[in-house]
Amino acid sequence: MLKKVSRLDYFTLQVFTGLIELKNGSAVADKMQTTQSKISRSLTCLREVLEDELFVRQQYGFEPNQVALKIYPMVQTILEQYDKIVATTIDKGAEPYQLSVATYEQWSLMAMNCVHETCHCIEGGVSINIQPWTDNVDQRLCQGKIDCSISTEPINHPMVNNYKLGDIIYFFIVAKTGHPILTSNQPLIELFNYPLALVNTNLHEQQSHPIEVYARAKKLDIKIALKSPSLRMLVDHVSHNDDIALLSSAMSMVYFEERSDVDYIDISQLWRETSGIECESYYLHCHKSIKPQLANCLKTVLREKLTQMQSHYEAVASGHKLPSSKSTEHVSKHCCSHEVGNGSSTSCTTKPHCPNDTSDDPAPRCCDN
């Protein structure tokens, strides 16, 4: 038996922990930058040496059995000791934690670029790799090929944790300066007289925008000129024609509030009072393999960012405009210490939440949009 145990080298033990955490051979191969055939050989070696199947193949990948779960913490300890040996003999600082995030354009610009400067819960800091939003983000996240994503709907998968960041409560019509819709007394009715530019933020490419669902229910004619996940593209598009952009969340303000060629009106109250129009929320999705303290830190930083953008818009709407949108860029330097027992941020202010919210998340609603 001891002679067989000598076959369990560092690489093979890494494969074991990878399969426990990611439950997918392809994802483990990608993470370890190796081939699937090497992963398969390592799994075969583990089974032969330990004389146990260890993993059962399921629809979404590998499910560890009781033996695998029992020895998992022991293998983790062995790998940690290996790492300490290497760290002792190589004189260098801790490497940054590599975090891959797929998110909407407005989130990558307004929030993610500050996380590595504010999160001190990981030794060596955090290096963020922002990836573009695509319709297969949920699949890549479930497979462990990316670490986190942000969207407007939960992802129901055993390997993903969902954290509600807050409700989307502000809605805007954006059009070129001087457009008749900007002075309309009935903007939610008259917007159907013009082609619309809509944000495509759903996980499923063919899923309809809430205004499309509303139009079908009311048997209203609706003309869609453009759909895009890029807010910059939508605003640029309506700046030189009679089309109208329908944008949601105070997070979108940075794309139009300082421009002279477009203007906007706030239709939030009309939107919420109009029966049949869906209200959405933002969610942070984290693969279960990322460190829990990092997930908590991300959740806190993003909720703070939402609160700051909410406050910025309220200041603008009340006539006390801030010097620039950059004034909302400050984030607490101690984000990791803001968590309380229920996982919510102590700096958040409870706001009225979306009337359609059915979440059982006990955390206060950090409104946010």
Side-chain angles (χ1 to χ4, degrees), residues 83-144:
D83 292 337
K84 287 181 180 179
I85 292 172
V86 174
T88 301
T89 57
I90 299 177
D91 184 18
K92 65 176 183 178
E95 294 288 334
Y97 185 94
Q98 301 295 320
L99 184 74
S100 58
V101 181
T103 185
Y104 307 140
E105 180 186 47
Q106 66 268 32
W107 278 98
S108 63
L109 291 174
M110 298 296 293
M112 289 302 173
N113 58 356
C114 70
V115 170
H116 70 280
E117 297 175 359
T118 60
C119 180
H120 303 292
C121 60
I122 303 297
E123 184 181 2
V126 179
S127 176
I128 298 180
N129 176 19
I130 297 292
Q131 301 189 19
W133 180 260
T134 61
D135 61 347
N136 68 339
V137 161
D138 55 338
Q139 180 182 356
R140 292 167 59 212
L141 178 66
C142 296
Q143 293 174 347

Side-chain angles (χ1 to χ4, degrees), residues 118-121 162-165 284 286 291-305 331-348 361-364 366:
T118 60
C119 180
H120 303 292
C121 60
N162 296 290
Y163 305 100
K164 185 172 180 178
L165 299 176
L284 169 67
C286 296
K291 298 178 183 294
Q293 64 267 38
L294 181 55
N296 285 332
C297 184
L298 283 170
K299 178 175 59 177
T300 302
V301 170
L302 294 176
R303 283 177 175 169
E304 285 187 359
K305 178 58 65 177
V331 179
S332 170
K333 293 293 183 181
H334 305 286
C335 64
C336 306
S337 63
H338 285 191
E339 294 295 315
V340 293
N342 61 3
S344 63
S345 171
T346 58
S347 63
C348 293
D361 180 5
C366 303

